[in-house]
Amino acid sequence: MTQDPQDEVDRLVAAWRAERPDLDVEPLQVLSRVSRLAKHLDRARRAAFAEHDLEPWEFDVLTALRRAGKPYELSPGALLRATLVTSGTMTNRIDRLAQAGLVRRRPDPEDRRGVLVTLTETGLTRVDSAFSDLLRREHDLLSGLTSDDQHALAAQLRTLLAPFDS
């Protein structure tokens, strides 16, 4: 019978149990691992984006446009909802992406006062390449789990996360 590998969280939990046996430190078993995994994921994401000369916020805006499908455009309001930032922040981000040649603004034909933000060919190429690289890195992060384990973990995390998203 093989024993599960030990990690830093096991040592952390053992130390707390020794020092504070009066406390139930069981939540650390899950949440400290989620926190540590988030840090590893953040590093992998930043590395993938950096290889494509993108900041995380740029990737967020570009992928929101890419997911919209052809013609890869959204209103600034739709981008706000997709990226969860303020309108002032979004205006600044659109300006910077337009200066970099990754998006362009055009008048909204449905609303004379509105504009649409559209991915340029350069933006489309860059975001597609960065997304492919990101997925490769994320597959590597999950390589220790079988496909069934990944599906089970995703379901459990969804159950945990859903109340926060509603």
Side-chain angles (χ1 to χ4, degrees):
M1 181 167 116
T2 61
Q3 189 176 6
D4 287 338
Q6 297 285 298
D7 66 4
E8 187 60 31
V9 174
D10 291 318
R11 291 182 280 282
L12 180 142
V13 168
W16 277 119
R17 283 184 176 145
E19 290 298 314
R20 292 293 310 266
D22 58 309
L23 295 177
D24 177 8
V25 296
E26 200 59 29
L28 296 176
Q29 295 280 6
V30 173
L31 300 177
S32 289
R33 286 185 174 95
V34 168
S35 176
R36 287 172 180 268
L37 184 59
K39 289 175 186 172
H40 289 290
L41 177 60
D42 185 57
R43 282 189 204 116
R45 286 179 168 216
R46 287 180 181 278
F49 304 154
E51 282 188 21
H52 300 278
D53 200 27
L54 291 173
E55 293 292 329
W57 67 264
E58 292 172 311
F59 182 82
D60 288 346
V61 175
L62 296 176
T63 54
L65 291 166
R66 180 63 170 96
R67 287 190 312 269
K70 283 189 175 188
Y72 312 118
E73 65 185 10
L74 293 169
S75 69
L79 283 170
L80 281 173
R81 290 185 294 279
T83 60
L84 304 175
V85 297
T86 65
S87 62
T89 297
M90 182 53 65
T91 299
N92 181 278
R93 289 180 176 185
I94 293 168
D95 289 346
R96 290 172 65 185
L97 289 167
Q99 288 170 355
L102 301 174
V103 303
R104 65 179 167 78
R105 288 183 174 95
R106 72 175 189 90
D108 184 344
E110 308 285 319
D111 178 0
R112 289 186 341 191
R113 295 174 295 147
V115 298
L116 293 172
V117 179
T118 308
L119 269 178
T120 63
E121 282 299 317
T122 301
L124 178 64
T125 300
R126 179 107 41 104
V127 74
D128 278 353
S129 183
F131 187 57
S132 294
D133 191 19
L134 174 63
L135 286 176
R136 181 185 54 76
R137 291 168 190 265
E138 289 185 353
H139 280 284
D140 289 347
L141 280 172
L142 294 172
S143 65
L145 298 176
T146 67
S147 180
D148 287 346
D149 288 342
Q150 289 180 38
H151 289 289
L153 179 58
Q156 291 171 338
L157 290 171
R158 183 181 304 108
T159 298
L160 187 62
L161 187 58
F164 294 100
D165 285 347
S166 60

